[in-house]
Amino acid sequence: MIIKAGNIKKGSYVLFKGSPHLVTKADFISPGKGSAFMRAKLRSVKNGNTQEFTYKSVEPVEEIEVQTQKMQFLYNDGESAVFMNGQTYDQVEIPLALIGQKAQLLNPEIQVHVLFYEDVAIDVSLPPKITLKVVEAEEAVAGNTMGTARKIVTTETGFQVSAPIFVKEGEFIIIDTESMSYDSRSNK
């Protein structure tokens, strides 16, 4: 579907130089003099490389449609993450380079949406918040309260995050998947 570059939004997929790209940032700039333009940061879904590109606001851009399937994360083999469709039991591999930092949040119980373009898996969409178990947490040090008292904790997936000092080993915490940061403690 052809759209004007001024209508590009963060999170949409576009064809750039014949290859599908995810728009990770889009800034519409309207200078006082001259025509408006859109500065977009694009991430290739084939190799994960990121680049910035500037479009004139009226320039045509091809937005691509991606299909989504709800799938369960199975395992990580060091190079790829493997997901399974719960109804058909089809398995799909996605290179970790395409998933990026989000791969650190994947645990075997998590249900995600896998995005497909022309029947090839290109990305993973995580839920907004996920719950992970803390497997390692330093003991809180009394008097360490200059500003907000925080410490680094390690989750069951190996992900390390800064959390408040009251978080202990064995507890469950909620992680915000957009900012990759501690959100709150879980009642799990």
Side-chain angles (χ1 to χ4, degrees), residues 48-128:
N49 292 343
T50 302
Q51 57 189 7
E52 278 198 23
F53 192 76
T54 303
Y55 294 97
K56 293 177 184 168
S57 64
V58 294
E59 193 174 336
V61 176
E62 188 171 351
E63 185 175 39
I64 59 174
E65 286 203 26
V66 294
Q67 291 77 35
T68 63
Q69 283 186 27
K70 191 170 187 172
M71 299 185 117
Q72 179 181 359
F73 172 69
L74 293 178
Y75 62 91
N76 169 350
D77 67 8
E79 292 182 16
S80 301
V82 180
F83 299 88
M84 178 183 70
N85 184 321
Q87 279 81 38
T88 63
Y89 301 106
D90 290 338
Q91 292 185 9
V92 151
E93 287 186 23
I94 301 178
L96 293 176
L98 291 182
I99 300 172
Q101 283 189 318
K102 294 184 283 187
Q104 298 176 48
L105 301 176
L106 296 172
N107 64 355
E109 303 150 13
I110 193 166
Q111 294 284 327
V112 299
H113 289 280
V114 177
L115 307 173
F116 291 87
Y117 173 65
E118 294 181 344
D119 295 327
V120 176
I122 58 171
D123 202 2
V124 174
S125 176
L126 294 175

Side-chain angles (χ1 to χ4, degrees), residues 13-28:
Y13 288 85
V14 297
L15 268 186
F16 177 69
K17 295 183 179 176
S19 172
H21 284 70
L22 169 66
V23 178
T24 57
K25 185 177 180 185
D27 294 323
F28 184 77

Side-chain angles (χ1 to χ4, degrees), residues 114-163:
V114 177
L115 307 173
F116 291 87
Y117 173 65
E118 294 181 344
D119 295 327
V120 176
I122 58 171
D123 202 2
V124 174
S125 176
L126 294 175
K129 297 183 189 313
I130 62 167
T131 303
L132 295 173
K133 184 178 183 177
V134 175
V135 294
E136 188 179 314
E138 304 168 7
E139 283 299 317
V141 178
N144 183 13
T145 55
M146 181 76 171
T148 308
R150 300 185 79 75
K151 64 182 178 182
I152 301 293
V153 299
T154 305
T155 65
E156 62 192 306
T157 62
F159 178 63
Q160 293 188 324
V161 64
S162 176

